[in-house]
Amino acid sequence: MSTLAAAIDAPTIEYAELSPMLLVFGAAMIGVLVEAFTPRYLRKSIQMPLTVLSMLGAFALTVWQGIQGVRHAAAMGAVAVDGPSLFIWGAILLLAIVSVLLINDDDHFVAQAAAVPGSAEEDRAISEGGAHTEIYPLVLFAVGGMMLFPAANDLLIMFVALEVMSLPLYLLCGLARRRRLLSQEAAMKYFLLGAFSSAFFLYGTALLYGYAGSVDLSAIEKSLSTVGGQDSLLFMGAAMLGVGLLFKIGAAPFQAWKPDVYQGSPTPITALMASGTLIAAFGALLRVFWVALGNLDAEWTPVLWAVAILTMVVGAILAITQTDIKRMLAYSSIAHTGFLLTAVVATGKEAQNANALSGILFYLVAYGFATVGAFAVVTMVRDPGGEAGHLSRWAGLGKRSPILAGIFALFLLAFAGIPLTSGFFGKYAVFAAAVSGGAVQLVIVGVVTSAMAAFFYVRVIVLMFFSDPAPEGPTIAVPSIGTAAVVTLAAAATVVLGVFPQPVLDLAHTAAQSLFVR
Amino acid sequence: METAAEIVQHSGGVIGVSWLTIVLPLLGAAILLLGGRRTDRWGHLLGVAMSLASFVVAVLVFVELLGFGPDQRRRVVELYDFLPGGTIDVKMGLLLDPLSISFALLITGVGSLIHIYSIGYMAHDPNRRRFFAYLNLFIAAMLLLVLADNYLGLYVGWEGVGLASYLLIGFWQHKPSAAAAAKKAFIVNRVGDMGLALGIFVIFTTFGTVAFGPVMSGVPQASQGTLTLIGLALLLGACGKSAQLPLQSWLLDAMEGPTPVSALIHAATMVTAGVYLVVRSGPIYVGAPTAALVVTIVGVATLLAGAIIGTAKDDIKKALAGSTMSQIGYMMLAAGLGPVGYAFAIAHLIAHGFFKASMFLGAGSVMHAMNDEVDMRKFGGLASKMKITWITFGLGYLAIIGFPLLSGYWTKDGIIETAMEHNPILGWLAVIGAGITGFYMSRLFFMTFHGKPRWEKDVHPHESPAVMTWPLIILSIGSVFGGGFLIAGNRFMEFLAPAVGRPEEMPSFHPFSVTGLATLALVAVGVAYAWMRYGRAEVPAVAPRGSFLTVFARRDLYGDAINEALFMRPGQWLTRLAVYFDNRGVDGLVNGLAALIGGTSGRLRRVQTGFVRSYALSIFFGAALLVGAWFVVGNL
């Protein structure tokens, strides 16, 4: 026995540094237990505080870690707790807390998921006031996955994180209360395509392991200079890995799932995906490309250039003809993914990388808040059958509820990158980084597509304020306290980041200074 | 020549809080504008109170300033960092010196009287509160203009005056003519403002600062060419605000505003800004004789043009406006003559502030009595009906034509004498101007107050209420004694010397010099001719066609026609061309592009079939492309 014990070193786990993630996962476990052992009527009043408090606690722990200035790979080098990780954790946690306030509205989720849509069983579940409180632990698992994904310093951990993040989301996508078939279809599509892309990711991991003999990101980086003559393995592996990651951020030509899934999912889940998942996936993408493949940038930069251009163009052009507000926002998200990619390819010296990274981080926060806010507004504009998705229903909204329409206009202007909104500084930071990284042509495409994008944002504003209201237009739901808080917070963040961006810019800059630990 | 005294840093005392003069009326304007209809009942009183309070502060500052020795009377109060940044760092401060305090006293003093008068004049206007808000704004902006210790602060005040004048001239915006006049004033002023802005740019690049003190002390180091450039640019600004040729056209139209506005613009504030700018920038013009010469030429040309326009106008306010142009021309002329002229320019400006305000308010009083009629051919014989207005207006009239021992006599004669010494041509032209002034002012006075009544049927002239006549009485006292008080014994010249520099020799006043006598004689001829034509003889109710010269004058010397031909029509052609180009060229391109993008979008949309299998296929092909591309790039 003793010889065996000596042969296997007990892994060292830095509990303090991983504490934010551990708290979220722990709370998710407790949530599952709550589902199992507490009576139905008590569950929500336990789950909601548990979820919010655990994430608040995790945020506090993240801040604590940030103040401590911890920067190294924890858990035997499997998880990197560094500046970017901490910043991303903080952003994801804040956005997730805000999204949970939206999710807390029972109204969005199915009464009984197992009941066939339109069946008597469903009617009974609705009249009994059934609700799936499992959504809270599911959200916690997803958030935990989102935190681990960008922090993973090892391709296998990253894959596990990817699945931990995605599986709950697949499920959550199918839980919309209304238009359930659409929702289930979205969940199905997301699952199938997600699984497909995961396979690419895993295949890429395997090939890279074959090349480098390790799945550790820093080991892969080192192997680039030592291993020779295995370029096919390397290129195939890196490209496959890239496919998996680009799928998650929704870059073209892997963007097809985004509009369908965004449209079908319950809107609060869409908000969580569009903000949290995007941030997490960008974090992971940066870590893989900048850490593991950092010395290979001559090879992947041209490829990502093409992807960025294609993504911006596809997102901006397709958004123009969308008639559904959520689909339009989905395409807008694709376009924004493209804008962010311009800074991903703008690598260079260390200072340049820090510059680009801080721009991306700021952009992600700014975009995340505006997105959650915009989807929160979408939940409030209702038709008898659910949310008023079709754009024509939004005509004249500005005349009937000027405040709501005004706030929505603010978010749209932020998406368009108009000064005095957060979007302006985000776009500026990213494009400036891209220019100083030598990607001028990319920025030109970015600016042109931004102009195209401005068209469809402003078109909605024109529709809301300068068209006559439809005679039997949608009703504006009286927002619950949670929804009102979300809209207010998001609007405040959008304005504050647009007028006094400096503190957050500084924070992003500090976080980016250390770049990624190797 | 002795240069101006050093500027001393100051804190504490009343001077330390001299910013109150600006802030109080600004606060008044803010309260009245933000308070809206709630403040309607007491709004005018607040406006008057703020203006008076500002006057009181100005008086206290003046008294405190007098307490210092003459060489200690230039004091700067630092307020805050206005524009901190890289190579430009503008500190905002107020410069309290004899020059600025003279202006501040005139602005707040005469301004307050106009405020009080407006209570009565605007009594029946539903928007009286708003009117007072704009008046307060005007006073505040004008005070900032004269008190700022740097060109940038001056510029802010300058623009503030432009805005306030726009709001006030167009106050009755329901009248298209008023709206057009406001726009015209604003646009013409913009041309001038551009000059001022350019001047300030050059000042900044040359001296690295915009504060008056360092700029003036740096003048000797600057080249003459640069100084000339600055001088001419500043002159362009001055021409805009002070309605000097060639930017005079807005002034006559500005009469569309309520009459107290005309009094405010013409007497105490706006038009004097140009003179202030030139005098304040004195050292620059001393270093640039060419620019100074241009100033005098502009002054003389304007004083003649204004006087000629005044001779043909039947509208009482327009005739007075012509006279304002002319009088400001005298000031400009004096300001262009250098330090010898500065004291006369400012003294004339102050005296003019009194008599012109008195006459404008008097004209308002007449209009008040005549159902807002402005055509002098429908006045006549009003002397017996409105005694106070007649007397106060008469005193103002005598002052402006330079009747011996009244205000205008002292100040205008000083200007003419100085000009004569400087350059006889300028001098004699100024004398001729004085003669014409005698004629057209007499014409105005006789047509209004004397001769047979030519009133419309339902007009019953009556004296105005006390709230309107008291300001008239106070102003007329100023127009009688002001000039003598300032000029006799070189009192004002001594007072002003620390601020603008002391001339080599103080001019002495000769009551019976050749120039003085010639001026008096010409004025007498003018008055007599006017009496024959308009006092004794019948005045036709409809204006006769008149000679070529009369029409020339009546049409403002074709100033508008010139502007239209030179600027408006080519401008219109240009805009039409631009619109055409925009419609055909740009819009075509833009719309074509938009159609292209929209079409592409519609076609691309079909790719989004909704089938997972096709999405998966696209991912697969995408992945294949990515891998392929990677290989291609990697093996390059």
Side-chain angles (χ1 to χ4, degrees):
Chain A
M1 287 299 283
S2 62
T3 48
L4 196 63
I8 300 174
D9 285 331
T12 51
I13 306 282
E14 287 80 352
Y15 288 102
E17 285 151 38
L18 300 175
S19 57
M21 230 163 21
L22 294 178
L23 181 59
V24 171
F25 280 128
M29 300 289 190
I30 295 172
V32 173
L33 293 178
V34 168
E35 286 300 317
F37 295 112
T38 57
R40 191 176 283 274
Y41 64 92
L42 267 180
R43 286 181 198 161
K44 183 164 180 183
S45 43
I46 298 174
Q47 294 284 25
M48 173 66 190
L50 176 70
T51 309
V52 173
L53 287 178
S54 65
M55 289 201 287
L56 276 175
F59 182 72
L61 289 171
T62 308
V63 173
W64 173 55
Q65 289 299 313
I67 293 168
Q68 299 259 308
V70 182
R71 306 193 186 290
H72 65 80
M76 314 280 288
V79 179
V81 183
D82 50 17
S85 285
L86 289 172
F87 187 92
I88 288 174
W89 287 359
I92 289 177
L93 284 167
L94 280 184
L95 289 165
I97 292 167
V98 175
S99 302
V100 165
L101 294 180
L102 267 187
I103 290 169
N104 189 37
D105 261 351
D106 288 333
D107 219 25
H108 302 300
F109 292 94
V110 67
Q112 192 177 0
V116 176
S119 65
E121 212 182 346
E122 185 187 30
D123 294 341
R124 196 172 338 116
I126 291 174
S127 60
E128 281 171 2
H132 279 290
T133 42
E134 291 90 343
I135 50 177
Y136 296 98
L138 285 174
V139 166
L140 279 175
F141 275 120
V143 171
M146 287 176 198
M147 291 168 73
L148 183 56
F149 194 36
N153 202 27
D154 170 321
L155 289 176
L156 275 182
I157 296 289
M158 195 176 269
F159 178 72
V160 172
L162 174 67
E163 293 306 312
V164 171
M165 168 178 86
S166 303
L167 287 170
L169 286 177
Y170 299 148
L171 210 52
L172 287 166
C173 285
L175 295 181
R177 189 181 194 85
R178 300 186 186 76
R179 299 190 192 145
R180 285 187 59 201
L181 288 175
L182 196 66
S183 170
Q184 291 176 356
E185 185 190 326
M188 192 66 192
K189 281 179 183 167
Y190 193 21
F191 172 64
L192 286 175
L193 295 173
F196 192 43
S197 75
S198 292
F200 276 103
F201 186 93
L202 209 51
Y203 196 7
T205 306
L207 290 174
L208 278 182
Y209 180 77
Y211 172 80
S214 170
V215 287
D216 190 74
L217 295 185
S218 41
I220 295 173
E221 186 215 5
K222 283 193 195 82
S223 70
L224 290 179
S225 51
T226 53
V227 180
Q230 299 286 335
D231 278 358
S232 315
L233 275 182
L234 175 64
F235 292 166
M236 281 281 270
M240 296 274 191
L241 209 56
V243 171
L245 291 164
L246 291 173
F247 173 84
K248 274 293 156 199
I249 62 169
F254 315 108
Q255 87 297 354
W257 61 277
K258 238 182 189 179
D260 291 18
V261 173
Y262 276 24
Q263 185 189 15
S265 305
T267 308
I269 299 301
T270 312
L272 181 66
M273 280 194 294
S275 54
T277 312
L278 188 75
I279 297 181
F282 255 101
L285 180 84
L286 283 168
R287 205 175 279 284
V288 166
F289 277 89
W290 284 15
V291 177
L293 308 175
N295 291 335
L296 202 64
D297 56 354
E299 276 76 23
W300 59 258
T301 312
V303 180
L304 279 196
W305 261 63
V307 171
I309 291 176
L310 194 64
T311 308
M312 289 189 277
V313 170
V314 164
I317 286 190
L318 274 171
I320 288 175
T321 42
Q322 298 307 315
T323 50
D324 184 278
I325 189 88
K326 281 165 83 178
R327 285 185 85 84
M328 193 208 87
L329 288 174
Y331 279 107
S332 122
S333 157
I334 295 170
H336 283 281
T337 301
F339 299 147
L340 280 158
L341 279 176
T342 59
V344 175
V345 301
T347 52
K349 294 236 162 55
E350 204 158 293
Q352 163 63 20
N353 285 355
N355 200 7
L357 180 58
S358 73
I360 294 174
L361 292 178
F362 182 85
Y363 196 120
L364 285 169
V365 172
Y367 175 75
F369 274 103
T371 303
V372 172
F375 280 113
V377 174
V378 170
T379 65
M380 287 162 63
V381 183
R382 304 259 176 92
D383 267 344
E387 288 158 4
H390 201 276
L391 269 177
S392 63
R393 307 288 293 158
W394 287 61
L397 196 70
K399 290 177 183 147
R400 296 171 56 223
S401 41
I403 296 179
L404 191 72
I407 291 177
F408 196 63
L410 173 72
F411 294 136
L412 291 175
L413 292 177
F415 289 147
I418 304 297
L420 295 186
T421 64
S422 57
F424 170 73
F425 284 107
K427 225 172 234 179
Y428 177 79
V430 166
F431 284 168
V435 168
S436 63
V440 179
Q441 298 90 325
L442 214 50
V443 171
I444 292 174
V445 176
V447 171
V448 170
T449 47
S450 291
M452 286 191 219
F455 168 77
F456 57 78
Y457 297 130
V458 173
R459 194 181 55 167
V460 177
I461 297 177
V462 170
L463 196 67
M464 288 195 298
F465 286 95
F466 301 102
S467 299
D468 288 325
E472 291 185 12
T475 50
I476 304 305
V478 177
S480 65
I481 297 173
T483 309
V486 172
V487 173
T488 317
L489 275 174
T494 304
V495 172
V496 169
L497 289 181
V499 183
F500 304 110
Q502 205 55 48
V504 180
L505 277 175
D506 287 344
L507 197 63
H509 203 67
T510 318
Q513 273 313 312
S514 71
L515 284 174
F516 298 106
V517 294
R518 297 276 154 97
Chain B
M1 192 197 96
E2 197 181 306
T3 49
E6 285 291 309
I7 294 176
V8 193
Q9 290 284 336
H10 184 97
S11 58
V14 189
I15 294 181
V17 293
S18 51
W19 45 267
L20 276 175
T21 46
I22 301 172
V23 169
L24 286 173
L26 197 63
L27 191 69
I31 292 173
L32 294 184
L33 287 177
L34 296 177
R37 295 257 164 237
R38 265 160 295 180
T39 58
D40 267 358
R41 281 213 344 266
W42 42 268
H44 52 285
L45 297 179
L46 179 79
V48 171
M50 287 303 187
S51 177
L52 276 174
S54 176
F55 176 62
V56 170
V57 176
V59 169
L60 292 176
V61 169
F62 175 61
V63 170
E64 194 170 297
L65 214 52
L66 285 183
F68 297 107
D71 283 344
Q72 298 288 310
R73 283 187 194 154
R74 303 195 81 192
R75 311 193 81 81
V76 157
V77 185
E78 289 282 345
L79 294 184
Y80 57 93
D81 238 0
F82 181 37
L83 267 184
T87 52
I88 186 164
D89 183 15
V90 180
K91 290 195 175 30
M92 188 62 201
L94 299 185
L95 172 60
L96 284 309
D97 70 353
L99 178 63
S100 62
I101 198 65
S102 305
F103 270 87
L105 286 173
L106 176 75
I107 293 161
T108 52
V110 177
S112 295
L113 290 175
I114 292 169
H115 271 75
I116 294 169
Y117 175 93
S118 303
I119 297 179
Y121 190 86
M122 300 298 281
H124 306 299
D125 196 297
N127 293 318
R128 177 164 71 167
R129 183 229 356 136
R130 197 153 53 83
F131 183 75
F132 274 85
Y134 294 162
L135 283 186
N136 267 348
L137 182 65
F138 203 125
I139 298 281
M142 193 66 202
L143 284 170
L144 176 62
L145 195 165
V146 297
L147 290 179
D149 74 338
N150 62 76
Y151 278 102
L152 204 64
L154 177 143
Y155 188 78
V156 174
W158 192 273
E159 293 299 312
V161 169
L163 168 68
S165 67
Y166 170 78
L167 293 171
L168 283 170
I169 294 170
F171 186 73
W172 286 324
Q173 75 254 62
H174 52 86
K175 292 200 304 189
S177 57
K183 231 182 324 184
K184 187 171 180 185
F186 197 77
I187 291 169
V188 174
N189 265 294
R190 294 243 51 85
V191 177
D193 293 352
M194 213 162 64
L196 176 59
L198 285 176
I200 296 175
F201 297 160
V202 181
I203 284 173
F204 181 74
T205 49
T206 312
F207 302 104
T209 172
V210 288
F212 291 137
V215 169
M216 299 315 160
S217 53
V219 161
Q221 278 89 51
S223 76
Q224 196 174 350
T226 315
L227 291 178
T228 308
L229 180 65
I230 297 174
L232 290 178
L234 295 183
L235 176 64
L236 184 62
C239 283
K241 271 281 176 291
S242 289
Q244 299 295 292
L245 287 177
L247 298 178
Q248 83 295 353
S249 60
W250 63 272
L251 189 73
L252 290 144
D253 291 19
M255 295 299 120
E256 289 293 341
T259 305
V261 173
S262 312
L264 194 62
I265 290 180
H266 283 226
T269 55
M270 188 161 168
V271 293
T272 62
V275 181
Y276 172 78
L277 180 64
V278 173
V279 173
R280 178 55 88 198
S281 314
I284 293 176
Y285 287 99
V286 171
T290 320
L293 180 67
V294 177
V295 173
T296 57
I297 292 171
V298 165
V300 167
T302 309
L303 83 85
L304 287 174
I308 292 170
I309 290 172
T311 56
K313 290 288 174 188
D314 290 332
D315 179 328
I316 184 167
K317 285 173 73 181
K318 296 219 163 156
L320 282 173
S323 99
T324 301
M325 248 178 88
S326 171
Q327 299 302 313
I328 304 283
Y330 276 106
M331 297 169 209
M332 231 19 153
L333 166 63
L337 295 176
V340 207
Y342 291 154
F344 287 120
I346 305 300
H348 191 55
L349 191 150
I350 292 171
H352 176 256
F354 282 106
F355 59 66
K356 189 46 71 61
S358 136
M359 282 193 287
F360 257 117
L361 297 184
S365 175
V366 169
M367 287 162 58
H368 201 68
M370 304 293 286
N371 291 354
D372 285 333
E373 182 60 67
V374 289
D375 188 353
M376 293 190 292
R377 293 187 183 275
K378 292 176 182 156
F379 294 166
L382 286 174
S384 56
K385 290 287 180 186
M386 23 197 338
K387 283 233 157 50
I388 302 177
T389 307
W390 174 56
I391 293 171
T392 56
F393 199 104
L395 290 172
Y397 151 66
L398 291 175
I400 197 175
I401 64 170
F403 192 80
L405 301 183
L406 293 189
S407 278
Y409 170 70
W410 300 89
T411 56
K412 199 197 285 181
D413 202 61
I415 295 175
I416 295 175
E417 299 260 6
T418 318
M420 196 65 86
E421 275 173 38
H422 191 80
N423 182 338
I425 301 175
L426 293 177
W428 282 112
L429 287 173
V431 171
I432 293 171
I436 306 177
T437 307
F439 169 72
Y440 74 80
M441 283 311 296
S442 307
R443 171 180 178 270
L444 187 157
F445 188 66
F446 297 147
M447 273 175 94
T448 304
F449 291 102
H450 296 278
K452 291 211 181 93
R454 303 174 297 274
W455 312 333
E456 300 271 293
K457 280 199 190 87
D458 50 349
V459 170
H460 308 286
H462 54 85
E463 186 54 274
S464 298
V467 72
M468 289 168 70
T469 49
W470 272 105
L472 290 177
I473 293 167
I474 297 171
L475 286 168
S476 64
I477 293 172
S479 46
V480 172
F481 301 110
F485 175 79
L486 293 175
I487 298 300
N490 286 334
R491 187 182 278 128
F492 192 58
M493 197 155 283
E494 291 290 348
F495 174 66
L496 220 49
V500 299
R502 184 185 297 272
E504 275 140 17
E505 57 170 319
M506 283 292 176
S508 50
F509 197 80
H510 313 287
F512 300 110
S513 68
V514 180
T515 319
L517 288 176
T519 311
L520 275 181
L522 259 179
V523 169
V525 170
V527 173
Y529 182 59
W531 172 249
M532 277 172 13
R533 287 283 306 273
Y534 302 99
R536 223 177 43 191
E538 282 280 307
V539 177
V542 178
R545 252 189 75 225
S547 66
F548 162 72
L549 260 179
T550 318
V551 176
F552 183 53
R554 216 179 265 158
R555 300 278 308 273
D556 306 341
L557 314 184
Y558 294 110
D560 283 343
I562 292 169
N563 280 347
E564 278 174 22
L566 274 185
F567 302 108
M568 193 190 88
R569 286 217 192 90
Q572 282 177 337
W573 290 330
L574 210 64
T575 39
R576 257 177 235 150
L577 198 70
V579 167
Y580 178 81
F581 178 70
D582 186 55
N583 280 342
R584 294 297 168 89
V586 178
D587 282 8
L589 194 69
V590 169
N591 292 339
L593 261 179
L596 182 73
I597 293 171
T600 315
S601 178
R603 245 164 272 137
L604 265 180
R605 227 179 127 184
R606 281 180 227 146
V607 178
Q608 191 82 8
T609 52
F611 293 119
V612 179
R613 55 173 186 267
S614 65
Y615 295 177
L617 205 63
S618 75
I619 292 178
F620 178 78
F621 280 122
L625 268 178
L626 211 65
V627 172
W630 209 300
F631 269 95
V632 171
V633 176
N635 291 322
L636 277 181

